[in-house]
Amino acid sequence: MRFPIVSQIYYRQGTLIVSTIALVFAFIFVIQHMTYTQTSGPSSGSIRDAVDQALESINIRLRGRVSPISSEYNLLDLEETDPRLAELAAEKCTIEWMNADRLQQDHPCVIETIRRRYLHPPADLDVPYNLVAPNKADTSVGQASSILNYLGNQTKGFFIECGALDGEHLSNTLYMERTMQWGGVLVEADQTSFGKLLSRRRKSYALPVCLSLQPYPTQVTFKVTYAIGSVQESLTPEQSKESNMLTLQCFPIYSILLAIGQTRVDFFSLDVEGHELRILKTIPWHKVDIKTLAVEWDHVGEKPLIDYMGPKGYYVFGRNTVNVGNDLFFARNDSRHR
């Protein structure tokens, strides 16, 4: 998988070029003043002063013309193992800086922070699952079967499940993973549920974070309530002190995909108790390839989701209407069955 080349590389190359030009100018000044010395005879101190003035003039121009590191990144050209990625990310990379400066979602610092601090690797394939109900094949309430039916029972696909709970109860992806050899990413913000998720020995990546409602990392207050926990944006001082309020780190979903090197997704399950539309709006759709989605509409409503996804190239191919899984099923227009 190829990873980002960032503009710092161009910045450094540009700085080298400009520095070379500066040296050439300094050399020209020396030659000019040496010629002048032979004809008019100024002191060597005057020559040094002239050269110093010339270099200072060039330095001023450099400071004025060489721009700081650009904020634009294109994360598709650096190899994942390229040491420059970690080097660039480590130069100033702290969680405080990342949040305060609202680093864009493909910034190397954001990607490296996810990898180093939050990303848990899949359990080995030969490690048995540790499930509460191992004989229950499909723990979803219709989502898995609907998506697989649409995809023609595709095997070895890739999913993202946001709102993964404990990795088993009401999981929309466990059947895909166990039976159809899928892999993917499980995102769960509730730390207690996430601990249980890790104990299930899922064969997918896992992160104990929330999804950002902005196209950059954020730190938020999260209300911990099993299965219905959510990001809280408007709290009174008294509410913020309640014992079930947790300060939590959030990342854009695109950042998470970049951190694992996977922007092609067969199924995206999104259930985050009311923030679904805002999360969808953070996605740079021209940079990802998402085939199908199951999006909970209880809190948002069907129409806003359909109105947003339509212009992005998606249509509704089904619905779930059970009281624990009111989802709209979206698919890309170019994947429509004939």
Side-chain angles (χ1 to χ4, degrees), residues 198-216:
L198 290 182
S199 74
R200 301 288 181 254
R201 302 170 188 160
R202 292 285 302 261
K203 309 307 185 280
S204 298
Y205 292 95
L207 298 96
V209 300
C210 49
L211 294 187
S212 180
L213 308 183
Q214 306 293 340
Y216 47 80

Side-chain angles (χ1 to χ4, degrees), residues 105-311:
Q105 51 191 327
D106 60 356
H107 193 287
C109 176
V110 178
I111 308 309
E112 284 299 297
T113 298
I114 292 172
R115 289 178 180 169
R116 294 178 180 180
R117 299 181 64 116
Y118 298 100
L119 188 62
H120 293 254
D124 291 338
L125 293 177
D126 59 352
V127 174
Y129 287 95
N130 178 33
L131 303 176
V132 175
N135 296 324
K136 186 173 183 178
D138 185 3
T139 55
S140 75
V141 287
Q143 293 90 342
S145 60
S146 296
I147 295 296
L148 286 170
N149 182 60
Y150 179 86
L151 295 175
N153 287 320
Q154 176 184 338
T155 59
K156 299 180 179 179
F158 187 87
F159 60 74
I160 318 167
E161 184 170 12
C162 300
L165 294 178
D166 65 1
E168 179 180 4
H169 179 58
L170 298 177
S171 173
N172 292 344
T173 60
L174 181 58
Y175 177 77
M176 297 172 171
E177 186 182 288
R178 291 180 71 193
T179 307
M180 310 300 286
Q181 294 80 52
W182 283 47
V185 185
L186 302 166
V187 180
E188 176 53 51
D190 184 317
Q191 304 302 289
T192 301
S193 293
F194 186 78
K196 293 178 180 178
L197 186 156
L198 290 182
S199 74
R200 301 288 181 254
R201 302 170 188 160
R202 292 285 302 261
K203 309 307 185 280
S204 298
Y205 292 95
L207 298 96
V209 300
C210 49
L211 294 187
S212 180
L213 308 183
Q214 306 293 340
Y216 47 80
T218 56
Q219 202 168 71
V220 301
T221 299
F222 185 84
K223 184 176 183 178
V224 179
T225 307
Y226 182 73
I228 56 171
S230 63
V231 172
Q232 304 293 302
E233 294 188 283
S234 300
L235 293 173
T236 65
E238 291 74 21
Q239 288 175 321
S240 63
K241 295 176 183 177
E242 292 176 6
S243 60
N244 64 340
M245 296 297 178
L246 175 70
T247 299
L248 200 62
Q249 182 63 46
C250 299
F251 291 98
I253 184 62
Y254 182 55
S255 302
I256 293 172
L257 291 175
L258 290 176
I260 62 170
Q262 182 79 24
T263 55
R264 187 171 183 176
V265 178
D266 296 295
F267 173 45
F268 180 15
S269 174
L270 183 60
D271 179 355
V272 290
E273 302 306 313
H275 297 299
E276 288 81 5
L277 182 57
R278 291 183 63 183
I279 288 170
L280 291 172
K281 287 181 177 180
T282 71
I283 298 174
W285 292 94
H286 62 293
K287 292 185 178 182
V288 296
D289 180 4
I290 300 176
K291 192 180 294 183
T292 64
L293 303 91
V295 184
E296 188 181 50
W297 56 264
D298 274 8
H299 307 279
V300 181
E302 290 192 19
K303 188 175 185 304
L305 290 169
I306 295 171
D307 288 348
Y308 175 75
M309 294 298 290

